[in-house]
Amino acid sequence: MFIDKCKFSSIHSVKNNIDLIHKINNVTVRPGCRLISFDVASLFTSIPILKLRDLVYSHIDVNILDVQVNTEMKRLFEICINQNYFAYKGRFYSFKDGLPMGSPLSPLLAEVFMDAIEVKILGLSCPYRNNIEFWYRYVDDILCYWNSDDIVLNNFLEWLNNLDDNIKFTLEVEEDNSLNFLYIKIINQHNKFQFEIFRKETFCDNIIPYSSCHPDSVKAAAFYSMIDRLLNIPMSNLAFDKELNLIKNIAVNNGYPESFIDKLLFKKERSFILNSVCPGLNLKNDKKWIKLAFVGKTSYKIANILRKTLNCNVAFYNNNNLKKFLVNNKNETEKLNKSGVYMIKCQNCECKYIGQTGRDLKLDFH
């Protein structure tokens, strides 16, 4: 309850590329304006902890007036932020500054810090405020619509890099009236932004082959993601057909028939229509789930029998995976070579410490 009171969200951040499109789709393209993007170099590890602490404390003070809860929240923050260490080749190291990579708290704290930076960038005191038509950020990637020339833009970049000694921005400017951002190509033309799906040059079409012994739901997962993006991103008919053909080529290159994609596309379009006609319609059921190992066509037959006789849902899982073949389990019987819950007794009193580790116990007690 108290954590809910202290929720934080930045008005300049976006959840994903679909959210970004919704925000800029109706923006009128103006002559002399162009798209630019900024990237914050090494954001997590560059954030100064002392400045971040002041920002978080201020936010807690504004949102939590109960003195006891306020103090407890600050103590919890200190505990979390001080767990900034890692192990390498049997030795432990601690970062003096920056947020720990992989911590579930780091993205939220990065948002808090970047929001404070953006208050300066988009505030009334910013000398370049009138040159920014819009400014949207996803973690450390920023999309900006700029209305001035290169000289002013370079001055703005220099001004940005002097806002904080720890935070540095890099710049990318649109080429051929387009800019790639969050895996979409934003095209600046015809008085409106046009959108296409963008893939990096390193993209490869390797997915689970059709002949692989996996349930169809697992094979379809990658294509569902592609089709969902295809239907959600507003594109011209030409761009839509181009992307659909690319998805079908990926399928064919991995042994799938084109009809496999056609069926998935039909299901997705049907779901979109149902949601538009009856928004919020819950098609889920309350049937219990049964877990069943997948071994091929026989598993489908067993699943059909279970559905009819027990009136349940069946979820398949694969018993063979890379971990089973690649992980060395020679010392599996040794307790210190496993992760788990442990208890340490104090030698001077009756106190006990109970902890949990996801790594080998011997690494924590090295």
Side-chain angles (χ1 to χ4, degrees), residues 18-282:
I18 303 299
D19 186 27
L20 175 67
I21 289 173
H22 289 163
K23 292 181 182 297
I24 70 173
N25 195 26
N26 295 321
V27 173
T28 301
V29 173
R30 295 171 48 189
C33 295
R34 52 181 169 166
L35 289 168
I36 60 175
S37 69
F38 295 100
D39 178 73
V40 183
S42 305
L43 174 60
F44 282 16
T45 55
S46 299
I47 291 178
I49 296 301
L50 291 178
K51 292 181 181 179
L52 177 64
R53 180 185 286 112
D54 292 339
L55 293 172
V56 172
Y57 278 15
S58 176
H59 189 69
I60 293 175
D61 289 336
V62 170
N63 289 274
I64 301 180
L65 302 179
D66 185 292
V67 176
Q68 183 177 356
V69 178
N70 184 298
T71 303
E72 191 65 22
M73 287 290 288
K74 291 177 180 178
R75 285 185 58 209
L76 290 173
F77 168 77
E78 292 294 338
I79 292 173
C80 294
I81 207 66
N82 288 328
Q83 304 299 311
N84 197 357
Y85 56 85
F86 66 97
Y88 178 70
K89 292 186 176 180
R91 299 186 64 181
F92 283 88
Y93 300 86
S94 177
F95 283 111
K96 293 182 179 180
D97 222 345
L99 294 174
M101 298 295 293
S103 169
L105 190 61
S106 293
L108 173 61
L109 296 178
E111 283 290 314
V112 173
F113 186 81
M114 284 304 301
D115 183 74
I117 294 288
E118 287 168 336
V119 168
K120 299 178 183 178
I121 297 172
L122 303 172
L124 295 175
S125 61
C126 173
Y128 304 94
R129 182 173 180 271
N130 293 330
N131 301 116
I132 302 172
E133 298 293 328
F134 64 66
W135 175 286
Y136 293 112
R137 176 178 51 81
Y138 180 79
V139 189
D140 56 355
D141 294 318
I142 300 158
L143 180 69
C144 175
Y145 199 35
W146 183 258
N147 66 8
S148 191
D149 56 29
D150 287 341
I151 296 176
V152 179
L153 178 58
N154 290 329
N155 291 336
F156 176 55
L157 178 62
E158 183 179 355
W159 181 84
L160 283 177
N161 286 326
N162 287 323
L163 284 176
D164 190 285
D165 293 337
N166 300 83
I167 302 299
K168 301 301 176 185
F169 295 82
T170 59
L171 172 68
E172 181 182 351
V173 182
E174 70 175 41
E175 295 182 3
D176 300 325
N177 294 325
S178 67
L179 185 71
N180 302 321
F181 190 79
L182 295 184
Y183 296 100
I184 56 174
K185 174 177 281 189
I186 307 173
I187 305 169
N188 186 353
Q189 64 182 13
H190 303 313
N191 298 323
K192 190 178 180 181
F193 291 124
Q194 310 289 328
F195 304 99
E196 295 181 7
I197 293 173
F198 167 72
R199 289 179 173 83
K200 293 183 178 181
E201 295 180 355
T202 54
F203 169 79
C204 64
D205 60 2
N206 292 332
I207 58 172
I208 298 176
Y210 187 64
S211 59
S212 180
C213 186
H214 284 78
D216 288 342
S217 58
V218 174
K219 295 176 182 177
F223 293 112
Y224 267 132
S225 175
M226 298 179 200
I227 292 173
D228 188 74
R229 185 170 58 170
L230 173 69
L231 297 177
N232 271 292
I233 295 178
M235 293 183 285
S236 65
N237 293 333
L238 182 63
F240 183 94
D241 293 339
K242 177 183 176 182
E243 177 63 19
L244 181 58
N245 289 332
L246 179 58
I247 294 174
K248 289 185 176 181
N249 285 336
I250 293 173
V252 171
N253 291 342
N254 289 275
Y256 293 81
E258 284 194 19
S259 58
F260 187 87
I261 302 301
D262 292 331
K263 290 178 182 178
L264 297 183
L265 181 60
F266 174 78
K267 289 181 181 179
K268 270 293 183 181
E269 289 178 328
R270 178 175 175 273
S271 176
F272 268 59
I273 294 172
L274 287 175
N275 288 332
S276 62
V277 175
C278 303
L281 180 64
N282 188 3

Side-chain angles (χ1 to χ4, degrees), residues 280-341:
L281 180 64
N282 188 3
L283 300 177
K284 296 182 180 180
N285 54 57
D286 296 327
K287 295 179 182 178
K288 65 179 181 180
W289 285 86
I290 292 180
K291 188 178 178 182
L292 182 66
F294 186 81
V295 293
K297 294 182 179 180
T298 304
S299 297
Y300 290 122
K301 295 179 181 179
I302 297 174
N304 288 333
I305 296 173
L306 292 175
R307 292 189 185 102
K308 292 178 182 178
T309 56
L310 300 180
N311 190 30
C312 64
N313 295 311
V314 177
F316 295 113
Y317 73 93
N318 278 55
N319 200 28
N320 293 325
N321 51 54
L322 288 175
K323 180 179 179 181
K324 189 173 182 179
F325 293 101
L326 299 180
V327 174
N328 185 354
N329 294 320
K330 291 182 178 180
N331 299 322
E332 190 174 1
T333 57
E334 297 182 18
K335 292 183 178 180
L336 291 180
N337 285 332
K338 293 183 179 180
S339 60
V341 178

